[in-house]
Amino acid sequence: MSKHQKTTGQQLSDKLTYEPLNGWKTIQTGEKDEMYRFCDHYKTFLNIGKTEREAILYTIERAEENGFVSLEALMLTDKILKPGDKVYTVNREKGIMFVVIGKQDMTQGIHLVGAHMDTPRIDLKQNPIYEDSGIALLKTHYYGGIKKYQWTALPLALHGLVIKKDGTKIQVVIGEDDKDPVFCITDLLPHLAQNQMQKKMTEGVTGEGLNVLFGSIGYQDEKVKEKVKLNILNLLHEKYGIIEQDFVSAELQIVPAFKARDVGFDASMVGGYGQDDRVCSYAAIEAVLAVEAPEKTAVCLLVDKEEVGSMGNTGMQSRFFENQLAEIYARTIDKPYNDLMLRRILNASKCLSADVSAALDPTYPDVHDKRNAPFINKGVVITKYTGARGKAGASDANAEFVGEIRALFEREKIVWQTGELGKVDQGGGGTIAQFVANLNMEVVDCGVPLLSMHSPFEVAAKLDIYMTYKAYKSFYMA
Ligand code: MN
Ligand code: MN
């Protein structure tokens, strides 16, 4: 027997055992360049879309460049939608739905990829500006699950909008241009941090302690009490025409001021803010833009508020998805629409809940069961269930549907792995899957494994990002 020939035991092992492999083993020549190019565009997306609204504005441009027509424009006409037609519809600048009409009637089911565009961050309170000890600061209320200490002593940018009393919308982005000033949350010097360092990490930096450094020059008038605050208000008024009360009707977010970068000497990873879940959002957008005349109607849905429970009229629990789907379906048929049709569509439909998972971090291996943990470079992750403490709160995907997706990925030669969110009883989390499941659709979580999830600088591997894009595209074309 030659030494290249496998023994019967090796052959049997190849046939019977399962171990997800590092994706680089199977990458073809040329594919690496394509992957890196894909991720260059992805980094641009991360840099120009640091809030859900900015990211949605980008997707509207992409939709229009690619021949998608807005549903609102369509509703002014009596056009009947035909297979291959492309429609998009926006929810309050915070959500969007792309639809490519399929050859089959939608009551035979649609293929949905759903991701979220909101990211953990620090929001300004509605009355944020105050002065203390000759310094102007901003009060904040953090959004989503953050480790507060990670947000101190970092360059931060201010993004968002202010609605004035007359309804005027003022867009604000400060800290992204190299000439802009940035902001920061100060931290205590180690010399005087004896008490702070004794505290639990959850208490070392408090929520009410996340105050943003905003200015330090006083308005020169002895009769004025809070000179620095007045000077800042005066500067804001000169630049944006706003007054202090305008902050009440504002949505302003504090985000890291730095740009997404390649990570590693081999540049194999992307580091940047907001990758949960803009990495899956980006893969889903690019996938739906690449779809032409699918069998099943292809829908990409990007929602807001996942990080706080998918609440509100821009979250997955809103009726937006159903309402817009009904509007679109009514325009694909030449008979009167009734609600039963929508119920049939939902019953027959399938969804990939496109969200990130926690990759095993070799510095913190103890929080994972490494036989069931996702690893970077092992491809797109299928997560059958999330939840915590005995799968509580999980939408546990049906084995039949997981089987279908697994077979699809194998057929399409997509590098994929299975992965759960950490060790049993270590913690846990959820995604939009449970709310999609409430509509009686088949749904499974499927996305990119991340390191340092929810930190200001999350890391994803380029191979996994690209494979996730290919996975979503194959689902649309299946
Ligand atoms: Mn997420
Ligand atoms: Mn998250």
Side-chain angles (χ1 to χ4, degrees):
M1 182 165 94
S2 104
K3 67 177 178 208
H4 297 297
Q5 222 167 3
K6 287 186 173 172
T7 63
T8 47
Q10 283 174 316
Q11 285 171 19
L12 197 62
S13 176
D14 285 352
K15 187 177 160 192
L16 299 183
T17 62
Y18 167 60
E19 197 193 335
L21 297 176
N22 185 298
W24 286 105
K25 284 186 181 151
T26 57
I27 292 305
Q28 312 288 315
T29 343
E31 222 174 352
K32 181 181 170 189
D33 293 345
E34 208 177 314
M35 238 178 240
Y36 277 45
R37 241 189 336 268
F38 185 84
C39 288
D40 283 342
H41 292 295
Y42 167 54
K43 281 180 286 178
T44 306
F45 169 67
L46 287 178
N47 293 338
I48 61 179
K50 286 198 180 173
T51 68
E52 66 284 359
R53 286 183 195 257
E54 291 167 355
I56 292 292
L57 286 180
Y58 164 88
T59 66
I60 296 172
E61 270 175 42
R62 293 285 285 140
E64 288 184 344
E65 283 164 14
N66 284 273
F68 282 73
V69 178
S70 92
L71 176 62
E72 292 64 33
L74 209 65
M75 282 164 74
L76 302 172
T77 72
D78 48 15
K79 182 178 157 52
I80 299 276
L81 292 168
K82 296 267 176 309
D85 281 350
K86 298 174 176 184
V87 186
Y88 76 93
T89 170
V90 179
N91 187 8
R92 299 170 170 91
E93 295 184 359
K94 297 174 178 179
I96 192 168
M97 187 166 149
F98 302 75
V99 180
V100 183
I101 306 297
K103 291 176 195 151
Q104 294 178 9
D105 189 273
M106 281 162 70
T107 51
Q108 294 185 55
I110 63 163
H111 280 189
L112 170 69
V113 178
H116 67 94
M117 286 289 237
D118 61 317
T119 49
R121 59 174 190 257
I122 298 177
D123 286 341
L124 295 198
K125 291 194 186 189
Q126 292 340 108
N127 192 15
I129 307 180
Y130 72 104
E131 174 175 340
D132 195 341
S133 314
I135 294 175
L137 298 122
L138 302 173
K139 291 302 294 179
T140 67
H141 195 144
Y142 65 95
Y143 172 97
I146 63 166
K147 291 164 98 175
K148 297 172 195 96
Y149 69 85
Q150 290 180 337
W151 289 75
T152 63
L154 276 183
L156 300 169
L158 179 65
H159 288 236
L161 80 170
V162 181
I163 306 295
K164 300 209 299 185
K165 224 186 318 189
D166 65 0
T168 322
K169 195 181 270 193
I170 311 285
Q171 303 284 350
V172 178
V173 179
I174 315 167
E176 295 296 339
D177 192 290
D178 285 345
K179 291 187 216 104
D180 283 355
V182 295
F183 311 100
C184 67
I185 295 165
T186 55
D187 197 0
L188 211 45
L189 59 167
H191 318 63
L192 297 177
Q194 253 191 68
N195 292 346
Q196 184 196 35
M197 299 299 270
Q198 299 307 316
K199 289 181 182 169
K200 288 200 285 182
M201 282 171 97
T202 50
E203 291 156 7
V205 175
T206 63
E208 288 292 352
L210 295 174
N211 302 317
V212 176
L213 202 53
F214 204 60
S216 68
I217 299 177
Y219 190 88
Q220 294 310 311
D221 182 335
E222 283 318 307
K223 292 278 162 64
V224 174
K225 260 209 290 196
E226 296 189 305
K227 296 182 178 58
V228 184
K229 177 177 170 179
L230 185 66
N231 194 50
I232 282 293
L233 285 172
N234 193 33
L235 291 172
L236 286 168
H237 189 256
E238 281 171 7
K239 180 152 187 197
Y240 298 107
I242 57 174
I243 58 173
E244 190 173 19
Q245 200 192 66
D246 291 329
F247 282 94
V248 173
S249 49
E251 288 178 6
L252 292 163
Q253 310 181 3
I254 295 289
V255 296
F258 43 73
K259 292 193 175 2
R261 304 285 296 265
D262 284 348
V263 173
F265 195 53
D266 53 10
S268 60
M269 297 162 277
V270 172
Y273 167 70
Q275 299 204 66
D276 174 7
D277 184 31
R278 293 200 191 112
V279 67
C280 296
S281 296
Y282 187 76
I285 298 159
E286 291 304 310
V288 81
L289 294 182
V291 167
E292 295 292 341
E295 282 298 314
K296 302 277 185 190
T297 292
V299 180
C300 167
L301 177 68
L302 306 176
V303 293
D304 180 30
K305 297 289 184 280
E306 192 278 339
E307 296 295 355
V308 292
S310 299
M311 312 300 191
N313 53 19
T314 57
M316 190 63 223
Q317 298 198 65
S318 151
R319 290 270 179 271
F320 174 78
F321 170 62
E322 287 167 86
N323 292 351
Q324 303 309 85
L325 199 60
E327 285 286 3
I328 290 166
Y329 183 63
R331 276 159 186 78
T332 66
I333 50 176
D334 52 8
K335 55 190 172 194
Y337 168 83
N338 68 59
D339 185 62
L340 188 57
M341 295 167 174
L342 175 65
R343 304 296 131 204
R344 286 179 180 146
I345 296 173
L346 295 172
N347 272 343
S349 291
K350 294 170 180 173
C351 171
L352 296 182
S353 161
D355 210 339
V356 296
S357 59
L360 184 133
D361 183 336
T363 307
Y364 303 99
D366 297 349
V367 301
H368 292 279
D369 160 19
K370 70 171 189 277
R371 285 173 195 84
N372 284 283
F375 289 78
I376 67 161
N377 284 326
K378 289 191 176 182
V380 60
V381 183
I382 299 176
T383 300
K384 189 172 178 298
Y385 52 84
T386 56
R389 302 171 308 279
K391 298 191 179 181
S395 164
D396 200 340
N398 295 308
E400 291 87 343
F401 184 50
V402 179
E404 200 180 310
I405 295 302
R406 168 191 147 207
L408 171 70
F409 291 175
E410 285 285 302
R411 200 162 63 235
E412 298 296 327
K413 301 203 162 32
I414 286 155
V415 180
W416 67 277
Q417 57 186 319
T418 178
E420 73 174 1
L421 184 61
K423 242 180 199 171
V424 177
D425 290 340
Q426 185 70 45
T431 63
I432 64 165
Q434 55 183 311
F435 307 112
V436 174
N438 289 347
L439 301 171
N440 203 36
M441 294 168 67
E442 291 295 345
V443 56
V444 66
D445 282 305
C446 178
V448 176
L450 285 190
L451 294 168
S452 291
M453 194 199 291
H454 280 209
S455 78
F457 195 73
E458 302 173 302
V459 176
K462 290 181 179 176
L463 181 142
D464 301 327
I465 298 171
Y466 187 70
M467 285 300 156
T468 301
Y469 154 72
K470 281 183 70 171
Y472 298 162
K473 198 165 73 171
S474 74
F475 175 64
Y476 281 140
M477 297 311 288

